[in-house]
Amino acid sequence: MGLIKRGSVWWVQLRQDKRLIRVSAKTRIKRLAEQVEAKIRTELVEGKYFDKGQGDKKMFKDMAEKYMAEYAIKKAPKSQKRDTIFLKHLLPVFGNMYLSQIRPPQIVGYKAQRMQAGISAKTINHELGFCKHAFNLAIREWEWVKDNPFERVSPEKLPQPRERYLTTEEFDRLYHACSDWLKPIVLFAVHTGLRQDNILTLTWKQLDLNKGRIMLEHTKNGERLGLPMNETVKKLLTELNRVRHINSDYVFHDKAGNKLSATTVQHAFHRTCKKAGIENFRFHDLRHTCASWLVQNGVDRYVVQRILGHKTAAMTERYAHLAPDNLKSGIAVLDSRTQSVITKAITDNN
């Protein structure tokens, strides 16, 4: 036990309480290898060696591989693809670094590099969020490290989110400018608030017309969503069911019964907006329109959160300013608290 040579590199091999320690000294020079051995022996005596975890043995690429194999595989296909894209940018920078070597300065440098490449703050934050989650797993479940350097790096400040939604008059113009196949998609979108992907992949198996329910197995946040139909949606789906394609289970499809591509819908929607004179409006803004109309009509924001499938209330709060009357009635409650004091003061002054 002690130093052994494998090829041209020295290794430290020790035994402590029946536990075998075999670590590369990463050097060909025996004197330097002896210093590594001495350091390990000191840490063993002080009881610090096994507390370090494997941060100096496992590389970022090892963590990424384990994450993709054990956690990404459980995600929706779209999320798995997104994680794969993240790694295409992360691995060239962090891949061959040991986890213990990754510190905030390197992460800040990565952020600066991505910003210089013209990458949006939102994308950069998603990439850092991926790393933060992987490191947390390496801490809690794999016991590879004890520290998460990504926790100590501030996310990029995001621009204010879009607040584009249609007025009733604008929607009327848009709807009547739609081609026959696009009309039911647009009407369904604004009456459910569903994302485009959920709409285009919707099948008849996910619908219960008798109970008036839509069941989505996969949403953006990875959770199931059960959504009730209003009368407009129920009537629309009942009509579509009468003329549904015999060889297709998709609710919305092309003439051959195939699933409509997002590109096809987006291009048609863009042309329709131009025809209707609707500017600065995307298909996803139909979802914002749904939420905005709900809030403007006094629907409780928790209910709006559940309808839209938002994971947190903070995502729904962006629509709070659209309900000023609710705020007015809310603050009016305080009047009764001090009414007697004000009345007495007026009486005393008289």
Side-chain angles (χ1 to χ4, degrees), residues 60-61 64-65 68 80-95 110 113-114 119 123 127 130-131:
F60 182 92
K61 62 183 179 183
E65 182 180 353
M68 295 301 288
Q80 291 182 41
K81 183 178 180 181
R82 182 196 61 186
D83 289 348
T84 301
I85 293 172
F86 290 163
L87 287 175
K88 285 183 179 179
H89 302 288
L90 292 164
L91 287 175
V93 178
F94 299 112
Y110 175 79
Q113 173 188 323
R114 296 292 279 156
I119 307 304
T123 297
E127 291 172 353
F130 170 90
C131 297

Side-chain angles (χ1 to χ4, degrees), residues 166-179:
L166 296 177
T167 63
T168 305
E169 185 273 332
E170 283 180 316
F171 179 76
D172 186 64
R173 280 169 28 215
L174 176 67
Y175 180 76
H176 286 95
C178 289
S179 55

Side-chain angles (χ1 to χ4, degrees), residues 69 96 108 157 168 177 191 229 236 239 247 296 298 301 326:
N96 291 323
V108 172
K157 186 175 181 180
T168 305
H191 275 271
M229 304 175 191
L236 171 66
E239 289 298 320
N247 295 320
Q296 287 172 335
R301 286 198 289 280
N326 291 359

Side-chain angles (χ1 to χ4, degrees), residues 339-350:
Q339 192 60 48
S340 60
V341 176
I342 295 171
T343 302
K344 184 176 185 302
I346 294 173
T347 302
D348 292 345
N349 288 335
N350 291 336

